[in-house]
Amino acid sequence: MRAVLPAFIAAAVLAGPAHAATPCPPGEPSVDGGAVATTRCRLELRHEAAVQAKINEYLKRALSVPGEIPLGTRVGTALSYAVSDRERDWQNPVLRDAEYYLIGLFGMTGEDTHALPVVGIPAYEVVKWAALRLEGMGYDKLEKWLRSDPNKPVSEPFGWQWAFRGLKDGAGIDGKKVVPPQPAKALPGLRIIP
């Protein structure tokens, strides 16, 4: 997994895309000499850019809220924006991954410790994958049991990597540090991970 520029750096938000598209790793396996791998890589890069843009949008909005507010609370505000959007479009993988990232980030910067539930996400994703496959065979009880809203089916799994990116990017950040609105270039106490 390539390292990414954390979305919560205001300079990156203001400067546009956080990173330039990079080529896929050399030697990536493909069945047709490269075209399938190249297409998959381009789709992954587009998805990653879309997720980063959505994360940037939520954090930029949260960082612009007036007042002297702890950074962890601002991250929680960004997470609430993501949850709200996801409730309207729960099957969207870009919104899913942005929400998972912010869950991980909030887990590290929030006023309480929320990191432990994030560690369980891969197991949850495996159960969700199995539930969706069983549903396809006519056994829908597990899928219905996993729903957070009884009227909305569970989304496709595999956003857990974003939760771990959020944990990693939030490590060492003082979420209790009070920060004013941030239209400026950088936030105190945050770092760029190349």
Side-chain angles (χ1 to χ4, degrees):
M1 179 184 296
R2 292 178 296 112
V4 295
L5 184 69
F8 48 78
I9 303 295
V13 171
L14 298 174
H19 70 284
T22 56
C24 289
E28 184 166 353
S30 78
V31 295
D32 66 349
V36 170
T38 300
T39 300
R40 189 181 84 229
C41 183
R42 285 185 184 138
L43 291 173
E44 289 172 4
L45 287 172
R46 263 187 267 164
H47 175 78
E48 184 166 312
V51 172
Q52 285 185 297
K54 197 48 101 166
I55 293 166
N56 285 344
E57 174 192 322
Y58 295 139
L59 288 167
K60 187 175 180 180
R61 283 174 53 200
L63 290 168
S64 68
V65 172
E68 299 283 322
I69 302 170
L71 185 56
T73 302
R74 290 188 184 277
V75 172
T77 300
L79 176 57
S80 71
Y81 297 148
V83 168
S84 177
D85 280 357
R86 183 112 188 268
E87 286 174 357
R88 289 189 291 275
D89 189 4
W90 71 95
Q91 295 286 13
N92 184 323
V94 170
L95 297 179
R96 174 201 63 204
D97 293 348
E99 179 186 16
Y100 279 22
Y101 178 89
L102 291 167
I103 288 170
L105 187 63
F106 185 67
M108 295 303 285
T109 62
E111 294 176 13
D112 298 320
T113 302
H114 300 284
L116 189 57
V118 175
V119 175
I121 286 178
Y124 170 69
E125 294 284 283
V126 169
V127 172
K128 190 165 39 166
W129 179 88
L132 290 171
R133 299 310 145 311
L134 287 170
E135 180 190 34
M137 297 185 314
Y139 304 103
D140 64 352
K141 288 185 181 181
L142 181 58
E143 188 276 335
K144 286 183 178 179
W145 182 76
L146 288 173
R147 293 179 183 187
S148 56
D149 180 331
N151 299 316
K152 296 177 182 175
V154 298
S155 62
E156 284 292 324
F158 307 118
W160 62 268
Q161 302 94 329
W162 285 95
F164 283 110
R165 283 186 186 188
L167 284 173
K168 178 181 161 192
D169 289 350
I173 293 174
D174 181 6
K176 294 179 181 174
K177 184 171 184 125
V178 174
V179 293
Q182 297 291 315
K185 300 265 188 284
L187 290 171
L190 303 181
R191 65 189 188 288
I192 295 173
I193 299 174

